[in-house]
Amino acid sequence: MKILVINGVNLNLTGRREKHVYGGESLAEINGELSAFARSEGHEADFFQSNLEGEICTAVQNAEGVYDGIVLNAGAYSHYSYAIRDAIASVSVPVVEVHMSNVFAREGFRHTSVLTEVCKGEILGFGKQSYFLALESFWR
Ligand code: DQA
């Protein structure tokens, strides 16, 4: 399978911001491990990160017919982006929503995701492991 891993706003700072929440590994390091993991299981993962809402929508749109699935950590956009939600609803590619932190153990505004309803599923609270679990959910 070919899976696209999309990271949204501020996830480029992973490893540098709020290390007690998101860990000390950079996004590039995590993506490298995800890529190796996918390959070791006979699959392929590509990666995209943007701080811009519209670019994330475009990446979701362009995944149609190219990818078998999307792993999406939209960051704070998860909590209020109807545009990303509509992009997900517009494609037939299944999307698994990811959060590294347990958003339900944090501030109230993080308890709502406007994306979950149009996603295949959601994995949260396992740190970088959330991405691995989301990835393998497509082929296990
Ligand atoms: C996050 C949780 C969001 O609430 C936050 O805005 C992020 C990261 C996570 O991975 O835990 O940027 O999506």
Side-chain angles (χ1 to χ4, degrees):
M1 295 184 104
K2 216 176 152 186
I3 309 297
L4 178 62
V5 180
I6 300 176
N7 277 283
V9 62
N10 295 317
L11 273 309
N12 57 309
L13 296 181
T14 304
R16 278 189 281 155
R17 69 157 178 163
E18 297 178 276
K19 290 186 190 182
H20 59 290
V21 180
Y22 303 116
E25 268 183 85
S26 70
L27 189 61
E29 287 168 336
I30 294 170
N31 287 349
E33 291 170 26
L34 288 170
S35 179
F37 172 65
R39 235 177 299 119
S40 74
E41 300 260 317
H43 303 280
E44 199 185 321
D46 288 339
F47 301 90
F48 177 76
Q49 190 277 329
S50 178
N51 290 325
L52 304 180
E53 187 180 24
E55 287 190 356
I56 296 164
C57 295
T58 301
V60 170
Q61 290 177 17
N62 290 345
E64 186 79 298
V66 178
Y67 291 97
D68 301 298
I70 295 172
V71 170
L72 172 64
N73 185 351
Y77 286 142
S78 315
H79 309 306
Y80 64 90
S81 175
Y82 297 120
I84 295 174
R85 178 200 167 101
D86 283 353
I88 295 168
S90 301
V91 296
S92 62
V93 189
V95 177
V96 172
E97 180 179 353
V98 160
H99 299 284
M100 282 188 274
S101 64
N102 177 358
V103 287
F104 296 105
R106 301 181 66 194
E107 301 94 325
F109 74 87
R110 297 184 205 275
H111 299 182
T112 299
S113 167
V114 299
L115 309 182
T116 315
E117 214 173 63
V118 290
C119 285
K120 185 182 178 200
E122 183 183 21
I123 296 173
L124 62 93
F126 297 99
K128 73 172 183 183
Q129 197 62 29
S130 295
Y131 291 104
F132 288 82
L133 294 168
L135 206 49
E136 71 174 343
S137 75
F138 283 106
W139 57 77
R140 285 215 196 272

